[in-house]
């Protein structure tokens, strides 16, 4: 709930552009109705400049009021090209380009995809878009409006039926750079609680969201079934990733080690508990290297801290993991690198940073020109003495991989890195839930006592501990734990217990370094 504290951004008393937000990257629907300028209808009398709407007294993450109409911001931006006639579309497009995000304040909301397979929707109140069209009509002597019929319904979305989630308030923004910054904050929103929904309501909610996403998809002929299959594949990939982690840790057998007549009996251990060493010998030792990167909250390209946590599987030989893997936790080597020129930057508005509070040793202060080399010495490179396979670990790892590129470390060119593990996806598979969870929440669920989160070094260690704990939990509980009588979507999670997780997977390399054949696949099979 909102409080008397200043929990929203007000352009009238701040030099900043934003509070917090994110934006989805989806195409606009094909044109169905277009607006032509009339020659006789006089324009409405509207002030030529747009003053800000009264600030909403909502806290970040608070749900909107029931009955509020919303328009997808992606659809708003595409309006001139989709709903304006050819004779005027260029003029209107130029007006939108110059004024849509210049000195005009928008209230941004976000709505999560219940399946977790698509970017959340970025929404603005329909009333604000209508007001903007009035201003455009005044300036252009036009008669722009939200179209009628089904096309118009796309600009007037409502949420909250059947007690389903409503859009959450992100903040206010009045520039393109602000929206770009808001986009990076999607993972900080509270997750929607869908546990109170009946199976029927859950399905109706998913169907409605599928329809909305479909209306924003410009690829003709693309079916809802395609999105469903992609979601199922992602869920199965999370299951295989979890199995590979078990395999690397010696908690699951490698298929190549089994003869055909015992293939389906020897993959997972029986009568094993955490007071015993890992039951299987991995095919070869690997190094898990977990990376966590902290960046300036108002300019995410400005990296301030890098945390690295390393677990060598050779150190695990004959060591009992203990309850939740706690005996293996002490074998993790932690590193905390702070960029010298940016030590003065401490996040405090969106998250509370604590760069001085490294729990696992002494921080290293590294000049920005040397930071890539420092990271390379820990993770590895072509000249490293240890050329064993590296399994890169992260929580929502794609963001951290992007940050590594920004400091000049191209992880794709490191031959030792053969696999990527995302603890966010592991937890989704463990819980059979499409909702992503933050690191602190996952650690709490796993019984890991963490503190001073948002210190990159601490987060790297806790992420690696969470990976260990989840692999052990899965092994102890078994692959076929009992499910409730009905949990929406559980039939989509089965990936087959009688395999070892298959080939390692790496995310596709950056476009400028990849071949045409590679660019069509999100992940690459890696042989080693």
């Amino acid at each position: 709930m909102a409080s008397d504290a200043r929990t929203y951004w007000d352009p009238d008393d701040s030099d900043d552009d934003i509070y917090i937000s994110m934006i989805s990257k989806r195409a606009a629907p094909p044109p169905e109705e277009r607006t032509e300028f009339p020659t006789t209808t006089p324009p409405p009398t509207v002030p030529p400049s747009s003053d800000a709407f009264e600030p909403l007294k909502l806290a970040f993450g608070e749900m909107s009021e029931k009955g509020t109409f919303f328009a997808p911001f992606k659809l708003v931006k595409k309006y001139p090209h989709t709903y304006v006639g050819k004779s005027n579309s260029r003029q209107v497009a130029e007006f939108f380009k110059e004024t849509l995000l210049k000195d005009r304040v928008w209230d941004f909301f976000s709505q999560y995809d219940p399946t977790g397979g698509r970017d959340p929707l970025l929404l603005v109140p329909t009333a604000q878009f209508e007001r903007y069209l009035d201003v455009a009509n005044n300036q252009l002597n036009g008669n722009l409006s939200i179209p009628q019929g089904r096309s118009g319904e796309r600009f007037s979305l409502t949420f909250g039926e059947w007690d389903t989630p409503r859009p959450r308030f992100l903040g206010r923004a009045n520039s393109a750079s602000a929206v770009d910054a808001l986009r990076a904050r999607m993972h900080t929103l509270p997750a929607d609680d869908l546990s109170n929904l009946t199976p029927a309501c859950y399905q109706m909610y998913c169907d409605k969201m599928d329809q909305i996403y479909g209306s924003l998809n410009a690829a003709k002929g693309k079916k809802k079934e395609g999105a469903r299959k992609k979601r199922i594949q992602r869920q199965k990939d999370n299951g295989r990733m979890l199995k590979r982690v078990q395999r690397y840790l010696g908690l699951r057998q490698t298929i190549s080690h089994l003869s055909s007549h015992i293939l389906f009996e020897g993959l997972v251990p029986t009568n094993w508990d955490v007071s015993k060493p890992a039951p299987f010998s991995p095919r070869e030792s690997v190094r898990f290297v977990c990376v966590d990167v902290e960046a300036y909250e108002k300019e995410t390209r400005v990296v301030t801290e890098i945390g690295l946590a390393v677990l060598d599987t050779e150190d695990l030989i004959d060591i009992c993991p203990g309850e939740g893997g706690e005996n293996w936790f002490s074998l993790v080597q932690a590193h905390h690198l702070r960029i010298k020129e940016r030590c003065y930057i401490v996040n405090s508005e969106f998250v509370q940073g604590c760069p001085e509070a490294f729990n696992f040793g002494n921080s290293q202060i590294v000049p920005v020109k040397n930071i890539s080399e420092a990271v390379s010495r820990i993770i590895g490179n072509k000249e490293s003495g240890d050329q064993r396979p590296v399994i890169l670990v992260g929580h929502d790892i794609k963001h951290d991989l992007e940050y590594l590129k920004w400091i000049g470390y191209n992880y794709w060119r490191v031959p030792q890195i053969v696999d990527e593990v995302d603890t966010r996806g592991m937890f989704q598979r463990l819980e059979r839930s499409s909702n992503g969870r933050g690191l602190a929440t996952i650690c709490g669920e796993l019984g890991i006592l963490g503190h001073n989160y948002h210190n990159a070094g601490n987060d790297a260690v806790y992420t690696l501990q969470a990976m260990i704990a989840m692999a052990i939990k899965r092994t102890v509980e078994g692959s076929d734990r009992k499910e409730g009588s009905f949990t929406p979507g559980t039939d989509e999670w089965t990936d087959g217990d009688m395999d070892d997780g298959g080939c390692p997977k790496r995310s596709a390399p950056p476009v400028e370094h990849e071949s045409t054949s590679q660019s069509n696949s999100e992940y690459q099979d890696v042989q080693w």
Side-chain angles (χ1 to χ4, degrees):
M1 297 296 293
S3 65
D4 293 335
R6 181 173 176 263
T7 56
Y8 57 88
W9 181 87
D10 190 338
D12 295 328
D13 62 3
S14 172
D15 293 331
D16 303 330
D17 285 324
I18 63 165
Y19 178 61
I20 189 169
S21 176
M22 54 80 44
I23 188 168
S24 59
K25 297 181 178 179
R26 304 199 179 277
E32 292 188 12
E33 182 173 331
R34 296 178 177 270
T35 301
E36 300 287 351
F37 286 179
T39 57
T40 58
T41 304
T45 303
V46 179
S49 61
S50 66
D51 45 354
F53 284 80
E54 284 296 318
L56 297 176
K57 305 302 181 181
L58 292 176
F60 166 71
E62 191 172 351
M63 285 190 179
S64 61
E65 294 184 0
K66 282 188 175 181
T68 304
F69 290 93
F70 291 96
F73 195 61
K74 187 70 175 180
L75 208 57
V76 168
K77 293 196 297 182
K78 291 292 184 180
Y79 177 91
H81 308 286
T82 310
Y83 298 101
V84 179
K86 291 182 179 180
S87 59
N88 298 300
S89 61
R90 183 173 180 178
Q91 180 186 13
V92 176
E94 286 295 324
F95 180 83
F96 269 56
K97 181 179 179 180
E98 293 295 326
T99 65
L100 187 66
L101 287 170
K102 183 179 180 181
D103 300 326
R104 167 159 289 276
V105 181
W106 297 88
D107 292 313
F108 285 97
F109 292 76
S110 181
Q111 183 78 357
Y112 274 128
D113 172 21
T115 69
R118 296 166 291 202
D119 292 336
L121 298 172
L122 185 71
L123 307 168
V124 294
T126 302
Q128 292 189 6
F129 181 49
E130 291 176 327
R131 168 70 172 175
Y132 178 74
L133 291 180
D134 287 343
V135 173
N137 288 330
N138 179 265
Q139 294 290 308
L140 302 175
N141 193 28
N143 192 25
L144 301 172
S145 64
I146 291 177
Q148 301 296 316
R150 295 190 62 181
S151 296
E153 292 174 1
R154 298 170 183 171
F155 291 91
S156 302
L157 305 177
T158 58
F159 301 86
E161 304 91 340
W162 321 295
D163 291 326
T164 54
R166 302 188 301 278
R168 293 182 182 274
F169 182 62
L170 298 171
R172 317 188 88 202
N174 67 346
S175 70
S177 60
V179 176
D180 289 339
L182 298 173
R183 182 183 303 142
R185 299 298 168 183
M186 56 181 290
H187 60 284
T188 64
L189 279 172
D192 291 331
D193 182 9
L194 305 178
S195 61
N196 62 317
L197 300 182
T198 65
C201 289
Y202 175 85
Q203 189 58 55
M204 286 189 289
Y205 180 45
C206 287
D207 290 344
K208 174 175 179 172
M209 293 299 290
D210 284 343
Q211 185 178 7
I212 293 173
Y213 278 105
S215 72
L216 297 176
N217 193 340
K220 295 183 179 180
K222 188 171 184 180
K223 303 293 184 180
K224 181 174 65 176
E225 181 66 15
R228 189 183 75 88
K229 289 181 178 179
K230 187 175 181 180
R231 180 182 71 246
I232 293 174
Q233 185 60 50
R234 186 181 298 109
Q235 292 167 173
K236 293 181 184 297
D237 285 344
N238 285 341
R240 296 186 183 101
M241 176 175 61
L242 177 53
K243 291 176 186 175
R244 293 198 302 276
V245 172
Q246 290 178 297
R247 191 178 79 206
Y248 300 142
L249 294 173
L251 301 174
R252 177 176 284 266
Q253 183 66 288
T254 302
I255 284 181
S256 61
H257 286 184
L258 299 175
S259 58
S260 58
H261 71 281
I262 62 171
L263 177 60
F264 298 112
E265 298 178 1
L267 270 176
V268 292
T270 56
N271 301 321
W272 178 82
D273 61 66
V274 295
S275 65
K276 304 173 184 177
F280 303 115
S281 297
R283 185 175 66 181
E284 59 183 294
S285 65
V286 302
R287 293 170 62 239
F288 287 98
V289 180
C290 182
V291 59
D292 184 89
V293 182
E294 294 294 317
Y296 181 40
E297 56 195 347
K298 294 184 180 179
E299 178 46 74
T300 55
R301 290 180 179 267
V302 179
V303 173
T304 57
E305 306 171 55
I306 300 169
L308 296 161
V310 183
L311 178 67
D312 191 329
T313 55
E314 285 193 355
D315 296 336
L316 305 182
I317 298 174
D318 297 328
I319 302 295
C320 306
E323 190 67 30
E326 59 185 6
N327 294 342
W328 288 357
F329 291 175
S330 61
L331 302 175
V332 173
Q333 301 174 15
H335 306 267
H336 182 223
L337 311 179
R338 299 182 63 191
I339 295 181
K340 180 178 180 180
E341 294 85 347
R342 301 167 185 170
C343 283
Y344 69 94
I345 298 176
V346 180
N347 292 332
S348 61
E349 187 171 353
F350 307 141
V351 297
Q352 182 56 58
C354 51
E356 302 284 352
F358 182 41
N359 300 336
F360 302 96
N362 297 320
S363 303
Q364 301 176 52
I365 309 300
V366 182
V368 66
K369 66 178 181 180
N370 298 331
I371 192 65
S372 177
E373 180 183 353
V375 171
S376 180
R377 285 197 299 268
I378 298 170
I379 298 180
N381 54 42
K382 294 180 180 179
E383 288 74 37
S384 298
D386 190 346
Q387 292 290 316
R388 287 180 300 156
V390 170
I391 314 301
L392 214 57
V393 184
H395 189 75
D396 205 2
I397 192 172
K398 62 180 181 292
H399 295 295
D400 295 299
L401 296 182
E402 187 72 17
Y403 291 144
L404 287 181
K405 288 195 300 181
W406 290 346
I407 65 165
Y409 183 79
N410 190 334
Y411 59 92
W412 186 257
R413 293 183 176 180
V414 181
Q416 297 100 306
I417 298 176
V418 299
D419 204 348
E420 296 167 14
V421 171
D422 192 336
T423 52
R424 184 175 182 265
M426 284 182 66
F427 192 75
Q428 287 177 311
R429 178 60 184 89
L430 199 67
E431 296 296 309
R432 290 179 175 247
S433 170
S434 296
N435 287 332
R437 292 289 186 266
L439 177 60
T441 300
I442 289 178
C443 287
E445 291 287 337
L446 296 171
I448 297 172
L449 301 178
H451 61 285
N452 293 327
Y453 289 100
H454 301 297
N455 173 292
N458 297 340
D459 285 359
V461 173
Y462 293 138
T463 299
L464 199 53
Q465 290 181 354
M467 183 203 76
I468 294 170
M470 284 188 281
I472 292 174
K473 178 180 175 68
R474 182 71 169 173
T475 304
V476 171
E477 293 183 351
S479 300
D480 294 317
R481 66 180 179 85
K482 293 182 178 180
E483 302 290 340
S485 58
F486 182 87
T487 303
T490 54
D491 59 325
E492 300 180 352
W493 290 91
T494 303
D495 53 273
D497 292 326
M498 298 307 168
D499 67 70
D500 62 0
C503 296
K505 296 279 187 177
R506 290 192 66 179
S507 54
V511 175
E512 60 269 24
H513 299 304
E514 68 184 10
S515 66
T516 302
S517 60
Q518 290 175 329
S519 65
N520 295 326
S521 176
E522 182 180 0
Y523 290 96
Q524 303 288 324
D525 285 345
V526 181
Q527 303 292 338
W528 56 277

mmCIF file of all heavy atoms in Angstrom, residues 139 408 456:
data_model
loop_
_atom_site.group_PDB
_atom_site.id
_atom_site.type_symbol
_atom_site.label_atom_id
_atom_site.label_comp_id
_atom_site.label_asym_id
_atom_site.label_seq_id
_atom_site.Cartn_x
_atom_site.Cartn_y
_atom_site.Cartn_z
ATOM 1 N N GLN A 139 -2.659 20.237 -32.552
ATOM 2 C CA GLN A 139 -1.439 20.672 -33.229
ATOM 3 C C GLN A 139 -1.501 20.426 -34.737
ATOM 4 O O GLN A 139 -0.966 21.215 -35.521
ATOM 5 C CB GLN A 139 -0.235 19.916 -32.643
ATOM 6 C CG GLN A 139 0.071 20.255 -31.193
ATOM 7 C CD GLN A 139 0.628 21.660 -31.040
ATOM 8 O OE1 GLN A 139 1.585 22.029 -31.723
ATOM 9 N NE2 GLN A 139 0.018 22.454 -30.178
ATOM 10 N N GLY A 408 33.854 -5.602 -21.333
ATOM 11 C CA GLY A 408 34.854 -6.049 -22.278
ATOM 12 C C GLY A 408 35.219 -7.513 -22.185
ATOM 13 O O GLY A 408 36.188 -7.949 -22.820
ATOM 14 N N ALA A 456 27.500 -7.714 -4.962
ATOM 15 C CA ALA A 456 27.713 -8.677 -6.038
ATOM 16 C C ALA A 456 28.426 -9.933 -5.555
ATOM 17 O O ALA A 456 28.106 -11.049 -5.975
ATOM 18 C CB ALA A 456 28.502 -8.027 -7.179
#
